[in-house]
Amino acid sequence: MPKLKQPMNLKELCLLRIVNTVRCAYEAWTTALREASRAGSEAYLKETLNVTADCGNVHDYLTSMSIEVSKHFAPLIINEFISIISVYYGMSYELKRAPWYDEDAHMNVCSKMLKAVLLNCTTEYDTKNIYFSFVQKIIIQTLDCVPELTTLAFDTRTNMDNSSLLTTNIHHLRNLQHFQYEYHCTDNVVEQLGLHCTELKTINLRESRAVTDASVQHLLKLKKIEYLNLTYTTVSFQAYGSLLSDLPSITNIDIMSRIYPLFNLISKENLYTITEFKGFISDIYTLTQKCPYVTTVEVYSLNYDLTILTTLTRLVNLKIMIGNSDSFNLNAVLSGMGERLNELRLSFVENVNIAHIVILCSSLKLLSLEECTFLPFKENSIIDKDLPHYRSVTELILLDNSPHQMYFRHLRHYVNLQHLECHGVDILTDDFIDETMRQGAFRNILRFCVLESDVGSLTMRTIELLLQHCEHLTEIGYLKTWSLLSQSQCTELRRRIRSMNLDVRIYY
């Protein structure tokens, strides 16, 4: 049976009480504002004054805590606010349609709600997956309240970009180490980073077309950069080559073009700091010569021999996307480096030989196969269930692969598997799970996330088997796709897990 949740100590109970108190306050504020908006402008204005006063009280309450306590609860509370305000803004259609609606006034009260929980000691909170530019704007407007923030990440394409506002506020974050602004970043934002955020280690500006060669001079000021992603910006290959040549600590290369011979544009003879290469490449030999210490390679759309990758003695993580395993000689690659690989990911690869992976990849920790096709079973050798591969793999990802499910019968041999994620693997039935566990496999499962196809073959029996035999189980996912599992059964399952105090997360 899965482990019971550990009883909370006094400190954890206090933190939970603080978070719940503030959550209730936010829910009350947003409910009151929504109801007041229906009554008209005068009622709404009065309610904004009430909320503003309450915000001051909450801020005083939180700042009265010790810094040690504050550092623990602050990120949790801020994340709660972002979630609640996103729902509130999405549901405020009546307010936004009112003839007296003033977005600046609305923004003002929402900013004060966020400022109530922003503390000077806050170093991080989650700013990803924000789809409303309104919510993103609130965060940017309040950056002056979190001068110790080390991470700021906007990874979504919002309906409006806030780059101009960010340009005037980013200077507050002089301790920033990780910056991500996809789709909407500009040269002006990068200029401010170069002037004020000199501690930056990672920058991701992916798909920001307004980032051009003009940004290069400012990026070169950031001597501590270790990771830089400029894919799908308008920075030229020549300018990118100069960055790779002159940034002293850069560890990655991301190149999404088949045309330019990037390595010819790099002045350094060797790039000893590069440990990660990702993208298209026309000259694998030059990669092996220029970047001898690379540990992670992710290459796309290949139709030529990759055997020379075996000369990269530190390469332990390999991902290949789009191609035919015969064309890039996958079997020779695995023969040369399979025993040292930690991760192998194949996406949209044809004619994969499962037997070769199992036999040659004896130390693999993660195996991911996505949208692949496989050699006919008769061309696979008989696979010994006692091979080291079956003991080494702890994470297995199988996504929308060839419908020939017979190639996955060997799943029952993975005795130390901890994370299983499958989409469309019809062989996973109640009987198969039962048989697998009887043979001693799947008993170390932490995450069991199976998205069923239209066939529908998993029931509550599988869940009972997991709960009974997997003592480390923490998560069961994609239950809404289990067509033989009813909503009432899911509801009862959640109730039962809570009543038994099991530390297991169920999600649809």
Side-chain angles (χ1 to χ4, degrees):
M1 180 175 290
K3 292 182 179 179
L4 298 176
K5 291 181 181 178
Q6 295 298 315
M8 287 186 287
N9 57 36
L10 182 59
K11 180 179 179 180
E12 290 172 329
L13 285 170
C14 290
L15 291 176
L16 181 61
R17 189 176 296 116
I18 293 170
V19 173
N20 284 336
T21 298
V22 178
R23 180 195 296 119
C24 290
Y26 276 123
E27 290 175 345
W29 293 343
T30 53
T31 299
L33 286 170
R34 191 179 299 116
E35 291 177 353
S37 69
R38 299 187 184 118
S41 60
E42 186 175 340
Y44 182 75
L45 177 60
K46 181 179 179 180
E47 193 57 48
T48 60
L49 295 176
N50 293 335
V51 169
T52 299
D54 286 344
C55 287
N57 294 332
V58 168
H59 187 71
D60 291 342
Y61 169 63
L62 296 180
T63 52
S64 68
M65 310 288 176
S66 68
I67 291 180
E68 180 185 359
V69 173
S70 299
K71 284 183 177 179
H72 281 86
F73 70 68
L76 299 175
I77 293 176
I78 299 169
N79 294 343
E80 287 285 347
F81 165 81
I82 292 174
S83 175
I84 292 170
I85 206 67
S86 295
V87 172
Y88 165 62
Y89 184 74
M91 295 177 63
S92 298
Y93 44 86
E94 292 180 350
L95 171 62
K96 287 178 281 189
R97 287 203 303 263
W100 49 266
Y101 174 65
D102 183 341
E103 176 133 332
D104 289 338
H106 188 49
M107 177 74 67
N108 183 52
V109 67
C110 290
S111 293
K112 289 179 179 177
M113 288 164 61
L114 176 56
K115 284 183 177 181
V117 295
L118 292 179
L119 308 177
N120 282 334
C121 64
T122 301
T123 59
E124 63 179 48
Y125 64 92
D126 190 1
T127 56
K128 288 187 175 182
N129 300 313
I130 296 172
Y131 292 93
F132 291 119
S133 58
F134 177 88
V135 179
Q136 191 183 89
K137 188 175 181 179
I138 294 171
I139 292 171
I140 296 172
Q141 281 187 335
T142 56
L143 291 180
D144 61 318
C145 299
V146 284
E148 300 298 319
L149 199 67
T150 59
T151 301
L152 182 65
F154 297 133
D155 62 340
T156 56
R157 188 194 299 274
T158 54
N159 59 323
M160 294 178 62
D161 80 77
N162 293 301
S163 57
S164 296
L165 182 64
L166 185 57
T167 299
T168 61
N169 282 274
I170 198 71
H171 68 276
H172 295 294
L173 306 183
R174 295 181 180 272
N175 294 303
L176 199 63
Q177 296 181 25
H178 310 285
F179 179 74
Q180 181 178 6
Y181 192 23
E182 298 185 33
Y183 304 103
H184 302 299
C185 194
T186 65
D187 290 332
N188 290 334
V189 172
V190 177
E191 180 180 6
Q192 293 302 307
L193 293 176
L195 288 171
H196 305 290
C197 304
T198 55
E199 298 299 312
L200 276 169
K201 295 180 180 179
T202 69
I203 299 179
N204 185 350
L205 312 179
R206 181 176 172 273
E207 298 207 39
S208 294
R209 303 296 295 175
V211 174
T212 72
D213 284 1
S215 287
V216 172
Q217 60 178 312
H218 308 298
L219 290 171
L220 286 172
K221 297 176 183 177
L222 302 171
K223 300 301 183 182
K224 295 183 180 182
I225 291 181
E226 297 174 2
Y227 175 87
L228 177 63
N229 190 336
L230 298 174
T231 53
Y232 306 115
T233 64
T234 51
V235 173
S236 68
F237 292 102
Q238 291 83 357
Y240 186 45
S242 69
L243 286 167
L244 294 173
S245 301
D246 296 329
L247 288 173
S249 302
I250 191 73
T251 63
N252 73 299
I253 296 176
D254 285 84
I255 179 74
M256 291 294 129
S257 172
R258 306 167 186 264
I259 303 172
Y260 277 87
L262 176 66
F263 289 114
N264 294 344
L265 305 173
I266 300 172
S267 59
K268 284 184 180 179
E269 183 177 350
N270 295 105
L271 299 168
Y272 292 115
T273 61
I274 297 297
T275 58
E276 178 183 334
F277 176 88
K278 177 180 179 181
F280 297 99
I281 186 170
S282 57
D283 188 354
I284 294 290
Y285 175 79
T286 304
L287 168 64
T288 62
Q289 298 303 302
K290 280 272 194 182
C291 308
Y293 295 159
V294 72
T295 61
T296 300
V297 168
E298 182 174 325
V299 284
Y300 294 79
S301 193
L302 297 166
N303 290 303
Y304 43 85
D305 197 333
L306 293 178
T307 309
I308 195 171
L309 287 178
T310 60
T311 63
L312 294 168
T313 57
R314 300 191 183 190
L315 180 58
V316 293
N317 304 314
L318 177 62
K319 180 175 181 178
I320 303 174
M321 291 189 66
I322 312 171
N324 189 300
S325 64
D326 296 327
S327 298
F328 48 73
N329 208 352
L330 179 61
N331 292 339
V333 172
L334 297 183
S335 295
M337 69 166 69
E339 64 181 1
R340 70 169 184 268
L341 284 180
N342 289 329
E343 296 184 5
L344 176 63
R345 302 172 187 265
L346 302 178
S347 297
F348 299 91
V349 175
E350 300 174 356
N351 295 329
V352 175
N353 190 322
I354 287 290
H356 284 178
I357 294 175
V358 171
I359 294 169
L360 298 172
C361 299
S362 56
S363 301
L364 209 61
K365 299 299 181 186
L366 181 150
L367 174 61
S368 175
L369 303 171
E370 179 182 6
E371 297 273 1
C372 294
T373 63
F374 304 92
L375 290 178
F377 184 72
K378 63 182 179 181
E379 295 184 26
N380 282 294
S381 58
I382 300 299
I383 301 177
D384 183 357
K385 65 182 180 63
D386 294 321
L387 285 168
H389 171 89
Y390 289 124
R391 295 191 299 274
S392 68
V393 173
T394 58
E395 184 169 358
L396 187 60
I397 303 171
L398 305 171
L399 308 178
D400 300 317
N401 291 289
S402 164
H404 301 294
Q405 299 301 322
M406 67 182 70
Y407 306 126
F408 299 123
R409 290 202 62 81
H410 68 296
L411 290 181
R412 64 187 183 276
H413 303 322
Y414 285 96
V415 293
N416 291 316
L417 202 61
Q418 297 177 4
H419 305 273
L420 177 65
E421 182 171 357
C422 295
H423 295 188
V425 180
D426 296 338
I427 198 171
L428 292 178
T429 64
D430 288 344
D431 289 340
F432 182 86
I433 300 297
D434 191 2
E435 175 192 354
T436 298
M437 290 187 174
R438 289 178 186 276
Q439 294 183 11
F442 283 26
R443 290 175 178 259
N444 292 309
I445 286 284
L446 294 171
R447 295 179 62 249
F448 184 87
C449 301
V450 177
L451 191 152
E452 278 203 325
S453 64
D454 295 335
V455 175
S457 52
L458 294 176
T459 70
M460 186 59 72
R461 181 181 164 207
T462 286
I463 294 176
E464 296 292 352
L465 288 167
L466 291 168
L467 293 175
Q468 181 179 352
H469 297 292
C470 305
E471 63 175 312
H472 305 295
L473 184 69
T474 61
E475 187 175 307
I476 305 175
Y478 303 131
L479 292 186
K480 69 178 180 182
T481 69
W482 296 21
S483 58
L484 300 180
L485 198 66
S486 68
Q487 180 66 45
S488 61
Q489 286 178 309
C490 291
T491 301
E492 173 59 24
L493 175 63
R494 288 178 181 275
R495 186 205 62 76
R496 190 172 126 211
I497 287 175
R498 284 195 302 269
S499 67
M500 296 176 67
N501 199 33
L502 296 179
D503 195 11
V504 179
R505 178 172 173 255
I506 304 294
Y507 71 91
Y508 296 145

